[in-house]
Amino acid sequence: MINGRPALTNLEVRPARAADADAIAGIYAHHVLHGTASFDAVARTPVQTEEKMRDTLSKGWPFIVAERAEMIMGYAYVTGFRDRPAYNYTCENSIYLDPACVGQGVGVQLMRALMERARDCGFRQMIAVIGGGEPASVALHSKMGFTHAGRMRNVGRKFGRWLDTVYMQAELGDGDRSAPAREPA
């Protein structure tokens, strides 16, 4: 049982494909138009979504979906945290769920898979930048072992109000307990 509901079964977490772009764009559009997790004012189109997927995957980084019965229930991906070489081992995550799928364990399964795949790519730290300090996102990240790393107060404005951004951080694999095989250039 998860939140009083039966555990999610037959959920497949897999790499995103071009055919998923419409569903992913739809999920993101809901969050742009109705929530504060994204500070975007205009949602990406399916074409822009496919470009984002292609760019992420071309770097060897994970862009994954959770699917059951041919329905995309959510998606997650990582990007580089910053573009300077010293940050090569730190990634930033993004995770969004179809609003009908919240509270069913989809986020936990997606985040677990994302963290494993990011670790396998060589990332040692994962940063969550949580727009609006969304309580459900903070709860999910806390559940997955992320710790509070900071809060920037009133840095965004959406829906007529000022919004904070919460930073959370999780160690992946060896974290800082060992040096990577290659130092950044």
Side-chain angles (χ1 to χ4, degrees):
M1 298 287 280
I2 298 173
N3 291 337
R5 300 178 188 183
L8 194 59
T9 57
N10 301 323
L11 180 74
E12 178 186 7
V13 176
R14 61 166 175 78
R17 301 187 285 249
D20 302 324
D22 284 341
I24 291 169
I27 290 169
Y28 188 64
H30 171 82
H31 290 279
V32 168
L33 298 173
H34 303 286
T36 59
S38 170
F39 283 3
D40 274 341
V42 177
R44 286 188 288 268
T45 67
V47 169
Q48 291 168 323
T49 299
E50 189 175 346
E51 289 170 4
K52 177 74 171 170
M53 291 166 39
R54 193 172 30 255
D55 180 58
T56 301
L57 294 168
S58 75
K59 294 174 179 156
W61 300 340
F63 195 123
I64 58 178
V65 297
E67 178 182 41
R68 183 176 69 178
E70 299 182 22
M71 177 190 172
I72 302 299
M73 303 178 82
Y75 70 96
Y77 62 93
V78 301
T79 56
F81 178 62
R82 296 285 184 262
D83 63 0
R84 292 186 175 91
Y87 291 111
N88 283 354
Y89 300 97
T90 302
C91 63
E92 179 180 336
N93 74 25
S94 291
I95 182 169
Y96 291 94
L97 301 181
D98 182 300
C101 301
V102 172
Q104 298 179 31
V106 176
V108 168
Q109 290 188 45
L110 257 177
M111 186 64 77
R112 183 176 295 124
L114 186 69
M115 292 173 79
E116 289 170 2
R117 291 171 184 186
R119 178 202 64 218
D120 292 347
C121 289
F123 289 113
R124 298 291 188 93
Q125 301 290 328
M126 183 177 280
I127 306 296
V129 180
I130 303 171
E134 289 281 333
S137 188
V138 170
L140 170 63
H141 284 86
S142 293
K143 184 175 192 169
M144 300 306 298
F146 283 72
T147 58
H148 183 84
R151 175 182 291 268
M152 295 187 332
R153 293 186 60 252
N154 304 318
V155 294
R157 188 159 175 84
K158 190 172 180 182
F159 304 133
R161 63 182 215 252
W162 291 106
L163 299 167
D164 295 355
T165 297
V166 171
Y167 283 78
M168 298 184 79
Q169 179 175 352
E171 184 175 271
L172 302 175
D174 282 347
D176 65 356
R177 291 183 301 283
S178 67
R182 277 190 5 229
E183 289 294 329

